Amino acid sequence: MPTIQKILVANRGEIALRIMRTAREMGIQTVAIYSEADRNALHVRYADEAVCVGPAPSSESYLKADTIIEVCRKLNVDAIHPGYGFLSENANFSRIVRDAGLLFIGPSPESIEVMGSKLAAKAAVAHYNIPMVPGTPSAITDRDEAKVISAQIGYPVLIKASAGGGGKGMRVVECEADFDEQMDRAVSEALSAFGDGSVFIEKYVTSPRHVEIQVLGDQHGNIIHLFERECSVQRRHQKVVEEAPSAILTPEIRNAMGQAAVDVARACGYYGAGTVEFIVNDSLDFYFLEMNTRLQVEHPVTELITGVDLVKQMIYIAEGKPLTIRQEDLQIKGHAVEVRVYAEDPANNFLPDVGTLDTYIRPQGNGVRVDDGFEQGMAIPIYYDPMIAKLITYGDSRDEAIQKMIRAIDEYQISGVQTTLPFGRFVMEHEAFRSGQFDTGFVSKYFTPEKLASPANSTESTLAAVLAAYLLENTKPKATLSMPNGTATGTKKSQWKANRLG
Ligand code: ADP
Ligand code: ADP
Ligand code: MG
């Protein structure tokens, strides 16, 4: 059985750091790669060795498979962890890694290939009795036929890119008159984002919830699930707030979904960590959406409620070790909530708002986990995903986790860019979220920028932020002192207030 001694993390930012931390705990050496835009990044400083692999655009650096393999040869690396995004769901890359005699910390190229296509995935699980949303079983080739099927399914329907991901290539069609226009849009978006214009139709489930199951499989055919994550608070079909467990599942439905997820994994001979996504309607019927063959952004909420380090398990599995966790050993303990802190302006349609983190002070304390890749004074590069951090809180109960989240958001001090933190606070305080009765329409149903009432949007606070930034620049030693007992003075106070909601 190969034992990994040196891992290269083919990623950047918070996830690169998160992976290297576990590797270090396991006594494994770490190698970072970075682009010219990331020279001073924290993941570069954290690694035992770091190699620049090219200019800022990811196509010229983080996506350069051959360069990455070359780095592994030079530095005697034995395994590559791809993180999420970038090359993580690229079957070809995992094949190249395998052919180079290295371990890919993830599933086989064959599993990635099948699950990378939503249509192939549906075909693969067809024999397993997994509930699926009504729709076309293959890519649309004939529009008239597609319209007939849509009418049978009943509008609204969703046109979806088979190769889709990250919420892209998806169009809702309300009625037949809109069909052609939405179809054109979906195909062109799919072509430009994924280089593959295949689209299919699914019934658009109204008021759905997104609930996904974490699975772990080893190379000996053992597969377990680690319960669910609720990810229904989304903008642009992308998640912003996640939690585990879901506020609405019964133990029976949880078991049934867990079993279905294990079957999906079995259908593609899965090993490694993976996520099976389901859509759940208001009667709690669930339907298979897709499987993500990688570590998920929101994996920490699962780690907190199960006590399992998913990256550690991924490493053991890649080494060929059998799983030592049995399904019956697993229990949900407590509740965890995650807010993704994006450099985006929630008051302006969640548009990315890149810039420099003039102030950046993390919340701390019992039950608070911050996974990030930035420090005060760093700029958020325009080339990559604008996620600054993931703020995760854990408590004995859902209410406790939410209260901790509100406290942590209030402590988090960020200036220089707008962030999704005030939106996170809005969600935590909203009665629909508090009661657990919400769906993927949360943002469109309840959220308008005025609801933020954030001082950060007012002229007064903009002035305060400018003044604070000036003071920070000119009184460095004092300004970088951390705040004692949450009490704020001078510069700090205006910053403190700038992050709070009225
Ligand atoms: P999750 O949050 O569930 O892990 P996301 O859909 O939010 O998954 O994607 C995580 C990251 O991977 C994001 O940065 C997203 O842009 C990227 N991503 C996901 N799927 C694709 C894809 N097919 N092509 C390119 N990027 C993708
Ligand atoms: P991606 O690969 O982009 O993540 P998914 O199939 O996982 O695509 O869907 C992303 C999101 O889009 C879901 O979380 C859900 O909010 C919405 N969605 C997907 N399919 C449906 C459907 N059939 N009905 C309603 N909403 C859907
Ligand atoms: Mg998805």
Side-chain angles (χ1 to χ4, degrees):
M1 216 181 291
T3 319
I4 297 172
Q5 268 151 31
K6 205 189 253 193
I7 283 180
L8 177 143
V9 181
N11 217 296
R12 61 181 298 280
E14 65 90 16
I15 196 64
L17 275 159
R18 188 263 163 272
I19 293 161
M20 289 193 282
R21 289 202 160 96
T22 288
R24 185 166 284 180
E25 286 164 21
M26 296 171 76
I28 298 172
Q29 295 279 303
T30 54
V31 177
I33 56 166
Y34 62 96
S35 72
E36 283 162 16
D38 277 340
R39 269 184 199 291
N40 300 315
L42 288 188
H43 79 279
V44 178
R45 281 193 243 156
Y46 189 90
D48 297 308
E49 293 164 277
V51 182
C52 181
V53 289
S58 47
S59 59
E60 295 172 42
S61 48
Y62 293 105
L63 293 172
K64 282 270 179 205
D66 294 339
T67 312
I68 294 169
I69 302 285
E70 211 179 291
V71 172
C72 290
R73 288 229 174 83
K74 277 207 185 106
L75 299 184
N76 276 322
V77 166
D78 1 71
I80 296 180
H81 197 307
Y84 57 73
F86 296 128
L87 294 164
S88 62
E89 290 177 282
N90 185 317
N92 218 17
F93 178 65
S94 76
R95 204 167 275 130
I96 293 172
V97 172
R98 192 169 70 177
D99 292 349
L102 300 163
L103 294 178
F104 180 77
I105 305 178
S108 69
E110 293 76 20
S111 302
I112 299 177
E113 211 140 59
V114 172
M115 292 300 163
S117 150
K118 293 188 207 292
L119 282 169
K122 288 185 192 222
V125 306
H127 301 299
Y128 284 81
N129 218 5
I130 310 285
M132 266 180 285
V133 191
T136 51
S138 53
I140 299 169
T141 46
D142 180 332
R143 285 194 185 202
D144 291 330
E145 198 183 305
K147 284 180 196 165
V148 172
I149 296 174
S150 299
Q152 281 163 358
I153 294 171
Y155 286 93
V157 298
L158 194 60
I159 302 179
K160 252 175 154 172
S162 181
K168 293 194 199 89
M170 220 180 286
R171 289 277 156 187
V172 183
V173 192
E174 298 290 347
C175 58
E176 188 163 324
D178 296 347
F179 191 93
D180 285 308
E181 189 192 335
Q182 297 302 339
M183 177 81 185
D184 291 339
R185 288 194 184 183
V187 171
S188 86
E189 203 172 307
L191 269 174
S192 69
F194 313 108
D196 174 357
S198 319
V199 297
F200 63 100
I201 288 167
E202 260 178 19
K203 173 154 189 66
Y204 185 70
V205 180
T206 43
S207 309
R209 299 175 73 116
H210 174 118
V211 181
E212 58 186 32
I213 305 278
Q214 175 70 53
V215 297
L216 275 178
D218 64 20
Q219 298 191 46
H220 309 277
N222 303 303
I223 305 175
I224 57 172
H225 73 84
L226 291 91
F227 314 111
E228 79 278 10
R229 290 183 289 259
E230 157 82 59
C231 316
S232 298
V233 180
Q234 305 180 343
R235 47 104 184 73
R236 296 189 281 269
H237 298 299
Q238 292 171 340
K239 308 154 184 172
V240 223
V241 174
E242 298 105 338
E243 63 178 316
S246 160
I248 46 138
L249 290 199
T250 62
E252 292 71 32
I253 294 172
R254 174 172 297 123
N255 279 340
M257 287 182 83
Q259 193 49 53
V262 167
D263 286 344
V264 168
R266 203 170 296 290
C268 66
Y270 201 82
Y271 58 78
T275 295
V276 181
E277 299 189 333
F278 295 95
I279 199 153
V280 180
N281 69 14
D282 45 16
S283 321
L284 297 186
D285 302 316
F286 60 89
Y287 305 97
F288 171 60
L289 274 186
E290 64 160 348
M291 179 169 190
N292 294 328
T293 55
R294 56 174 160 90
L295 188 65
Q296 204 99 339
V297 173
E298 59 275 17
H299 75 278
V301 292
T302 300
E303 296 190 318
L304 290 174
I305 62 153
T306 58
V308 174
D309 181 328
L310 289 169
V311 171
K312 189 174 179 178
Q313 294 302 319
M314 290 178 88
I315 292 172
Y316 284 151
I317 291 165
E319 289 177 330
K321 296 194 169 111
L323 278 175
T324 53
I325 310 163
R326 288 169 310 172
Q327 190 68 58
E328 55 271 28
D329 298 337
L330 285 167
Q331 260 185 40
I332 297 176
K333 191 166 179 292
H335 200 99
V337 181
E338 171 177 286
V339 170
R340 297 192 192 190
V341 188
Y342 282 103
E344 286 180 359
D345 188 358
N348 187 15
N349 243 331
F350 293 92
L351 283 179
D353 183 39
V354 287
T356 299
L357 294 169
D358 295 327
T359 314
Y360 185 76
I361 298 170
R362 300 173 185 91
Q364 296 184 2
N366 190 19
V368 176
R369 168 172 167 179
V370 182
D371 282 19
D372 66 8
F374 290 98
E375 261 178 4
Q376 188 158 287
M378 286 183 173
I380 297 159
I382 54 165
Y383 303 96
Y384 318 108
D385 194 279
M387 195 171 75
I388 303 169
K390 300 183 305 206
L391 173 57
I392 309 119
T393 57
Y394 174 78
D396 285 341
S397 64
R398 186 169 188 265
D399 269 341
E400 198 179 299
I402 292 172
Q403 281 311 127
K404 272 186 205 287
M405 181 58 79
I406 293 172
R407 186 271 285 172
I409 289 174
D410 288 349
E411 268 179 40
Y412 217 141
Q413 297 176 71
I414 301 180
S415 76
V417 294
Q418 298 294 333
T419 76
T420 45
L421 277 174
F423 172 74
R425 200 180 199 284
F426 168 81
V427 176
M428 295 303 124
E429 295 208 307
H430 198 280
E431 149 207 316
F433 184 76
R434 289 306 273 250
S435 68
Q437 298 307 312
F438 59 98
D439 55 54
T440 59
F442 182 93
V443 170
S444 60
K445 233 179 270 171
Y446 305 119
F447 180 67
T448 51
E450 307 82 71
K451 301 248 172 73
L452 283 179
S454 167
N457 297 323
S458 71
T459 320
E460 188 197 291
S461 83
T462 308
L463 284 174
V466 171
L467 177 66
Y470 173 82
L471 288 174
L472 193 69
E473 241 345 274
N474 293 283
T475 54
K476 270 219 161 99
K478 197 172 148 210
T480 48
L481 281 179
S482 60
M483 204 163 11
N485 306 326
T487 50
T489 54
T491 309
K492 294 299 178 189
K493 194 156 198 163
S494 40
Q495 285 307 291
W496 177 260
K497 272 171 66 184
N499 280 325
R500 290 185 69 121
L501 295 169

